[in-house]
């Protein structure tokens, strides 16, 4: 796994769009219209940019998997972050979903501790490269990095089949939220 560069952005957006097209949590925020895939791409573009500013973006060595990590306490409101949010609203979630997105994020973040965390926003592998150990290798490296930094990993999933996979790494569900779909809040460290 290596840190991605800005030149990797298109590839990472492709990987995440392909991996999360049917994700309940992503589709909760994205209007289900004829522009749905473009909207998902806009969400992934936003996520990439925010993690480049306030976290890290990783690409697997074979370039078929990626991970976006943020450090929430480092996020600042800047002109660039405001422009990214405006673009997300216009091209991604749509003005009608802003309050839904804010409400959802507020409910999730209330479950974070006050100390700095290692927030795994997205981890994805191209569908045709899944089940080959690429995600496993990335997750092992992410866990090692979070431990070196002294931060517990926090993430969410709306995909039930992912729960046993996360448990293999010692991660556990610590909260479940209902948004019309079940969102499982997961963490390491057991705190």
């Amino acid at each position: 796994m290596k840190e991605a560069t800005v030149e990797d952005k298109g590839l990472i957006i492709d990987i995440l769009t392909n991996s999360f097209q049917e994700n309940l949590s992503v589709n909760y925020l994205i209007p289900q219209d004829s522009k749905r895939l473009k909207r998902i791409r806009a969400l992934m573009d936003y996520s990439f940019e925010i993690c480049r500013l306030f976290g890290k973006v990783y690409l697997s060595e074979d370039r078929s998997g990626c991970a976006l990590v943020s450090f929430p306490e480092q996020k600042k409101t800047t002109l660039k972050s405001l422009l990214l949010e405006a673009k997300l609203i216009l091209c991604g979630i749509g003005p009608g979903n802003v309050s839904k997105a804010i409400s959802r994020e507020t409910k999730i973040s209330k479950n974070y501790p006050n100390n700095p965390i290692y927030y795994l926003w997205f981890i994805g592998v191209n569908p045709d490269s899944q089940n080959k150990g690429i995600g496993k290798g990335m997750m092992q490296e992410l866990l090692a990095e979070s431990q070196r930094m002294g931060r517990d990993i926090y993430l969410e999933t709306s995909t039930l089949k992912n729960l046993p996979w996360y448990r293999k790494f010692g991660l556990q569900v610590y909260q479940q939220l209902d948004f019309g779909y079940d969102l499982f809040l997961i963490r390491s460290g057991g705190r």
Side-chain angles (χ1 to χ4, degrees):
M1 185 172 79
K2 60 185 178 183
E3 230 175 303
T5 66
V6 73
E7 290 80 23
D8 298 317
K9 180 178 175 177
L11 175 61
I12 289 169
I13 290 171
D14 287 346
I15 292 168
L16 294 174
T17 300
N18 291 336
S19 299
F20 286 86
Q21 279 186 40
E22 304 307 319
N23 183 276
L24 296 173
S25 188
V26 166
N27 283 296
Y28 175 77
L29 295 176
I30 300 296
Q32 302 300 298
D33 59 17
S34 63
K35 299 178 189 174
R36 188 176 75 84
L37 285 181
K38 285 184 181 180
R39 292 179 184 281
I40 292 172
R41 289 186 67 79
L43 172 64
M44 299 312 174
D45 183 298
Y46 170 80
S47 304
F48 175 90
E49 293 293 342
I50 291 296
C51 289
R52 292 246 320 143
L53 287 171
F54 308 113
K56 296 185 177 186
V57 179
Y58 293 106
L59 192 58
S60 65
E61 291 297 331
D62 74 346
R63 301 176 58 80
S64 67
C66 63
L68 276 59
V69 175
S70 79
F71 306 119
E73 81 286 352
Q74 293 180 11
K75 189 172 181 189
K76 297 175 182 75
T77 301
T78 64
L79 179 58
K80 182 164 183 156
S81 71
L82 290 172
L83 290 172
L84 289 169
E85 288 177 8
K87 183 178 173 187
L88 173 65
I89 291 166
L90 294 174
C91 301
I93 65 173
N97 283 347
V98 171
S99 63
K100 183 162 74 167
I102 292 170
S103 173
R104 179 181 170 273
E105 293 310 309
T106 300
K107 288 176 184 173
I108 292 168
S109 62
K110 282 183 183 177
N111 291 282
Y112 298 156
N114 291 327
N115 54 304
I117 65 170
Y118 190 98
Y119 180 68
L120 180 54
W121 196 346
F122 287 106
I123 183 169
V125 175
N126 262 328
D128 59 347
S129 296
Q130 290 177 0
N131 302 310
K132 296 179 182 176
I134 297 160
K136 177 183 177 183
M138 293 184 75
M139 193 67 195
Q140 289 169 334
E141 289 186 59
L142 294 167
L143 281 164
E145 181 179 64
S146 74
Q147 290 169 352
R148 281 191 302 275
M149 294 178 74
R151 295 173 179 238
D152 288 335
I153 287 184
Y154 280 74
L155 63 108
E156 300 90 40
T157 188
S158 59
T159 306
L160 269 174
K161 72 177 185 170
N162 289 349
L163 295 177
W165 190 79
Y166 287 120
R167 283 189 197 109
K168 288 180 191 176
F169 299 100
L171 303 176
Q172 55 194 258
V173 174
Y174 69 95
Q175 185 66 270
Q176 184 175 335
L177 301 176
D178 182 0
F179 294 106
Y181 67 92
D182 291 324
L183 186 66
F184 300 94
L185 281 58
I186 297 172
R187 67 179 175 208
S188 64
R191 291 186 192 125

